[in-house]
Amino acid sequence: MIIDWLTGTAFQVAGTGTTWAELLGFLTGVLTVWLVARQKIANWPIGIANALLLMLLFWTAGLYADAGLQIVYVTLGCYGWWHWLFGGERRSRLLVSRTGRREWLVLLVVGLLLTGGLWALLDRATDSTVPLPDALTTALSLLATYGQTRKRVESWWLWITADLIYIPLYAYKELYLTAVLYLVFLALCVLGLRAWRADLRRVDRPTPVPPGPAPVAA
């Protein structure tokens, strides 16, 4: 079966087996973030494939919140795919924008509720050994993905924060290749933040008006 092959060992890192699901998740994950940074629409279908691979990987590693998170990623991936194409003015392509104060407040409340709820669930209903960091990274990742479906430039800061927690978390769970993957993600997020901020400055820049008298209305 395909699942048996994906959970089989591709090679070993520091004496620990790396599965095909982890290897393919590494490759599709890097490609997805690189495409997001360049605002390429192909990031969404590749990201959906990446989420399915990581779902299998995390479930077998006992990271249940991260495994469940991938189902939400698939849903958000479909939404983001559509919204990038038709979410702009008059159903045009979406442009990069900033996160408003009210939206930040909503994100803060939702993030706290998600983290607290998932922490309690993982601590009481599963055998997770890392319930709090698993819950926190899950909440941050959801908020960051939502922000990217809306092309909010600040979504990159949420991803950077999540990655800084993910890297030692995956190393602790002996998912070494995935830890390296999130180190690569961290670098790509910094590049993505710079690229989106540059694009935002171009959007915000007013169109220059040539000197001379104003045109006469017809």
Side-chain angles (χ1 to χ4, degrees):
M1 291 178 61
I2 186 66
I3 293 180
D4 294 331
W5 178 76
L6 287 171
T7 55
T9 302
F11 58 89
Q12 291 193 340
V13 178
T16 302
T18 297
T19 66
W20 285 104
E22 187 173 5
L23 176 60
L24 293 174
F26 180 102
L27 297 174
T28 55
V30 170
L31 181 57
T32 297
V33 178
W34 182 78
L35 289 170
V36 172
R38 295 174 61 85
Q39 298 186 53
K40 301 295 184 182
I41 199 70
N43 87 85
W44 295 111
I46 295 173
I48 290 170
N50 174 256
L52 294 173
L53 288 166
L54 293 182
M55 183 193 309
L56 178 62
L57 172 68
F58 294 148
W59 186 265
T60 56
L63 293 168
Y64 303 115
D66 275 342
L69 174 64
Q70 306 312 309
I71 299 174
V72 183
Y73 277 156
V74 171
T75 304
L76 287 173
C78 294
Y79 170 74
W81 194 349
W82 179 89
H83 202 258
W84 275 33
L85 285 173
F86 306 111
E89 187 176 354
R90 298 181 181 178
R91 298 177 65 83
S92 61
R93 280 183 176 264
L94 192 65
L95 299 177
V96 176
S97 60
R98 300 184 187 277
T99 306
R101 290 184 180 180
R102 181 177 296 180
E103 192 172 14
W104 268 124
L105 179 60
V106 172
L107 291 175
L108 176 61
V109 173
V110 171
L112 290 173
L113 291 175
L114 273 175
T115 301
L118 287 172
W119 183 14
L121 177 65
L122 292 170
D123 188 51
R124 298 174 183 176
T126 75
D127 59 354
S128 175
T129 58
V130 285
L132 178 56
D134 195 5
L136 178 58
T137 50
T138 297
L140 285 170
S141 298
L142 280 172
L143 298 180
T145 303
Y146 164 80
Q148 289 194 329
T149 67
R150 313 285 296 184
K151 279 197 180 181
R152 302 294 195 235
V153 69
E154 294 83 4
S155 63
W156 290 109
W157 286 113
L158 295 175
W159 273 127
I160 288 169
T161 303
D163 290 345
L164 289 172
I165 303 171
Y166 271 130
I167 293 167
L169 174 61
Y170 290 142
Y172 172 76
K173 297 296 288 188
E174 297 186 340
L175 296 173
Y176 299 115
L177 185 60
T178 304
V180 174
L181 169 63
Y182 275 78
L183 186 61
V184 175
F185 280 170
L186 181 60
L188 289 173
C189 285
V190 173
L191 295 176
L193 175 63
R194 293 181 61 184
W196 281 31
R197 288 176 68 179
D199 192 63
L200 183 62
R201 285 193 294 270
R202 287 192 293 270
V203 172
D204 290 343
R205 186 179 299 129
T207 303
V209 178
V216 179

